[in-house]
Structures are given as structure tokens and as C-alpha cells.
Amino acid sequence: MDEIQKIVFEIADRCARRKVPVTDMLAAFVAKAVILESPEKFQLDRALSASDVEELVTLAVERLSQEDDPSLETLRMQVSFDSAYVQRQESLEKDRATRKRGYNIIEQSICAMKLQSAKDVGGMGQIHRLIVAALLTQTGQAPQNEIYQKEVAAALESVLPRANLHAFTSLAYADKRARLADLHNYVLGIRLFNKAIGKGGVGLVDKLREANASTQELATKVLEQLQAATRDVEEYEAVIQYVASQQNNPAVADIPLKRLQDELTNRRQYLSFVQSFEVEAMNGREAVMQLAREYEHDMDDLRSCSAALAPRKLLEKQHQRRPRNKGGKKGGLMLSVCLSLSVYVSLCV
């Protein structure tokens, strides 16, 4: 493995000195192609000698340095296509890891805290601020934004009132982590519902709308490229067929048939990639549309549930003017928790 890496590095380094941009993946791909094309020189059942390595590197560099070569461009395109998915996945994972590191730091601080008593006002304020910061970080929003803080704090109060923070800090470390994950889902669900009814959700990006617009734009671009690539392949095939049928015609004797065939291979390869993009684009668009339908259905259900609870809330407000009994207070809290749970279930199942 070390020897292969050295060969790839040497190929890429020599190409760089020639001002030829070459990735390690492309260098490895071309080196493999050179070996397979010359089995008599590079036998797979024995180790490469120093002279073999030098010849392999030289041949690979010469091929990679060729200009206006359809075969080389086809190789470049294939390697770029294969590596694009890997690079995009690595970029997404890096973004997730960065966000997770920020969240983990706050999570550890929360889980390490313990309140001395239910009257520890300072401690409750500190852990409440940390929980709000954790929930905003998990959502990808700035924890320092006061508007976001107020909205999250209001949603959090209906799920985990400050009076219950002492009991929360008494939980085991693993239980606290699980409870924080639940709080994220509950609070985000409440904020999404509030955004849907125009009463909150400040700063929350409409991911479905963005995804719908992106997939629509992608599908349009892919269709345009597909039509253009199909025309190119058909035209090349027609020209090559004509030239091949006119071998005795002096007028076409100077037309490089091999070059045309290499260019046709390039266009066919490109067409194949675009066709695979088309399938993925259509699948992605259908998935987004299905999610949008499910989301709207869930929101409609929640609107109906909220409307059904409105008379009960009005009745509770009227009762608040009278002396409360213990059952009334508990009932109001239960309604709040039930609404939060409904949001969580409908949005996250």
C-alpha cells in the first residue's frame, strides 16, 4: 500500500510541476490503466522494480499531460463523477461534526450540573440558559440571539417549567442526555407549528420550500443537459456511420475516424452520467413533494386540534379569575404537555 501511495504521489507531483492539475484519484486511475494495458511490462504476480516504477510513473505522467485528448477527458470525467459524491458526503459530515461539537460542549455542561435545592434560583437560571443555548445550537441558530432565546424559552416553559429543573438535574447523566434530545424535538415541534400558523418560528428556515425550489431547478438543468447530450450522441453516430461507409471516398479520407470514435465515447459517457442524475433528481423531487404533503397533512391535523382546544383554553382563563383548585392547575399543565406531545409525534414519527 505504501508503494502504491508513493507512485500516486510521484505522478501527481510531476504533473504539478508541469502545471497539469491532477488529483490523487485520477493519478491512481491512470496508473492502473497503464498497468492493465501493458501486462507484459507490469506483471501483477511480482513486485515492481525501481525501473518498473520509473517507467510506470513516466507513462502515466505523459498520458496525463496530453492536450486535447478525448480519451483522457473521459477518464477525468469518470473520476470527477465518482469523487464528487465522496467529497459532498465528506463536506456534509464535516458540517454535522462541527455543529455536534458545539452542542456536545453545552450538553456536557448541562449534564454535569446539579442544583443544591429547588430554591437555587441562580443555578436554575444558569441551567435554563444552557438548555436554551443547546436547543438553538442543535437547530443551527445563533444561541446569542435574544429573539431566538425568548421564543425557545417560551416553548421550553410549556415542556419543562423552571420549577422542574431541580428534578431534571437529579437525573442520571445518560437520562439527562436522552431528556435533552426529547426537549429538542418538543421545542422544535412547537416552533414549527407556531411558524405554520404565523405566530412564531422566528429564524427557522423553510427547508421544504428550499428543497422544493432546489430540486425543481436541478431537474430543469438536468433535462436541458440530457437533451443536449442526446443530440450530440446522435450527431456523432450519424457522422461516424457516414464516414465509415465512405472509406473509398477521397473527400472524407482525411477525417480522423478514431478521433471521432473517442469523442463519441466521451459523449456517451457524459450522457450516461446525466441519465443517472436525472433518475436521482426525479427521485429526490418526489421525496420532497411527499414530505411536503405529509407535513401539510400533519399541520392541518394540529390546526384542527388547536381549534378544538380553544374553547377549553377560554374556559380556563375564566376560571383563573376565581380561586384555583389543585386539579385545575394540573389540568392546565397536562393540556400544555399534550399539545407539545402532539406536535412531536406528528412531526417526528
Side-chain angles (χ1 to χ4, degrees):
M1 181 60 69
D2 290 340
E3 184 178 4
I4 294 175
Q5 291 176 341
K6 290 179 181 178
I7 292 173
V8 170
F9 175 80
E10 184 65 24
I11 293 172
D13 183 62
R14 291 191 190 183
C15 287
R17 279 183 260 164
R18 295 189 180 193
K19 308 298 182 183
V20 178
V22 172
T23 63
D24 288 349
M25 186 177 292
L26 179 60
F29 197 95
V30 172
K32 179 180 178 181
V34 170
I35 291 174
L36 295 177
E37 290 171 0
S38 305
E40 70 285 353
K41 293 182 180 179
F42 308 105
Q43 299 179 14
L44 299 178
D45 58 349
R46 66 177 179 83
L48 296 176
S49 64
S51 60
D52 291 335
V53 171
E54 178 61 29
E55 185 176 4
L56 173 59
V57 171
T58 301
L59 290 174
V61 171
E62 289 300 324
R63 175 172 295 188
L64 287 166
S65 301
Q66 292 176 0
E67 297 181 357
D68 191 27
D69 184 350
S71 297
L72 178 59
E73 291 306 313
T74 301
L75 286 178
R76 287 182 180 275
M77 179 169 54
Q78 183 174 348
V79 172
S80 296
F81 181 83
D82 293 338
S83 62
Y85 286 93
V86 177
Q87 293 171 356
R88 180 57 180 164
Q89 185 64 32
E90 290 176 348
S91 177
L92 291 173
E93 290 177 356
K94 184 178 179 180
D95 291 342
R96 293 193 190 101
T98 300
R99 184 183 301 177
K100 187 172 179 59
R101 280 196 298 270
Y103 173 79
N104 286 343
I105 293 173
I106 305 175
E107 181 191 58
Q108 290 171 5
S109 299
I110 294 171
C111 294
M113 285 191 65
K114 285 187 177 295
L115 298 179
Q116 297 300 322
S117 69
K119 298 181 180 180
D120 186 357
V121 178
M124 282 193 288
Q126 182 181 0
I127 195 169
H128 187 270
R129 288 191 294 272
L130 284 173
I131 293 175
V132 170
L135 298 179
L136 285 170
T137 301
Q138 187 81 323
T139 313
Q141 294 181 294
Q144 301 82 8
N145 189 297
E146 293 184 2
I147 298 176
Y148 299 163
Q149 289 175 359
K150 290 179 180 178
E151 182 173 298
V152 170
L156 178 62
E157 186 66 21
S158 67
V159 182
L160 180 64
R162 290 200 182 205
N164 293 352
L165 287 176
H166 179 259
F168 172 81
T169 61
S170 301
L171 296 174
Y173 193 96
D175 293 334
K176 288 181 185 177
R177 292 188 62 190
R179 181 60 174 154
L180 280 174
D182 290 341
L183 289 175
H184 166 70
N185 290 322
Y186 292 145
V187 171
L188 180 58
I190 293 172
R191 296 182 69 201
L192 286 172
F193 177 66
N194 289 339
K195 183 179 180 68
I197 62 176
K199 294 184 178 180
V202 180
L204 289 178
V205 179
D206 192 337
K207 296 292 187 180
L208 284 174
R209 180 175 296 179
E210 281 192 352
N212 185 60
S214 297
T215 53
Q216 176 61 52
E217 181 182 5
L218 177 62
T220 301
K221 289 182 177 179
V222 169
L223 180 60
E224 292 173 354
Q225 291 295 314
L226 182 63
Q227 293 171 343
T230 301
R231 286 195 301 270
D232 287 345
V233 169
E234 291 173 350
E235 290 173 0
Y236 268 105
E237 289 175 342
V239 171
I240 290 174
Q241 185 177 2
Y242 174 77
V243 172
S245 66
Q246 300 292 320
Q247 293 182 356
N248 298 324
N249 187 345
V252 298
D254 294 334
I255 296 179
L257 186 59
K258 177 64 167 61
R259 166 82 185 205
L260 289 176
Q261 291 171 337
D262 289 343
E263 291 180 0
L264 173 60
T265 300
N266 180 278
R267 292 299 83 193
R268 281 176 172 169
Q269 184 70 71
Y270 179 71
L271 177 60
S272 175
F273 290 155
V274 176
Q275 287 171 334
S276 67
F277 274 135
E278 182 190 30
V279 173
E280 292 190 22
M282 295 303 295
N283 290 340
R285 178 153 177 74
E286 178 57 35
V288 169
M289 293 174 66
Q290 179 63 27
L291 283 174
R293 288 191 292 267
E294 293 175 359
Y295 181 81
E296 286 303 318
H297 180 269
D298 291 340
M299 284 300 169
D300 288 341
D301 287 345
L302 283 174
R303 290 187 187 97
S304 299
C305 179
S306 180
L309 289 173
R312 176 68 179 272
K313 291 180 180 178
L314 179 59
L315 184 61
E316 286 182 353
K317 287 183 179 179
Q318 292 174 349
H319 278 291
Q320 286 176 357
R321 299 172 185 174
R322 307 173 186 174
R324 299 183 192 177
N325 56 37
K326 295 182 180 180
K329 183 177 180 181
K330 183 177 181 182
L333 178 59
M334 286 302 296
L335 279 174
S336 178
V337 173
C338 286
L339 179 58
S340 303
L341 184 57
S342 298
V343 174
Y344 169 66
V345 172
S346 63
L347 295 180
C348 302
V349 169

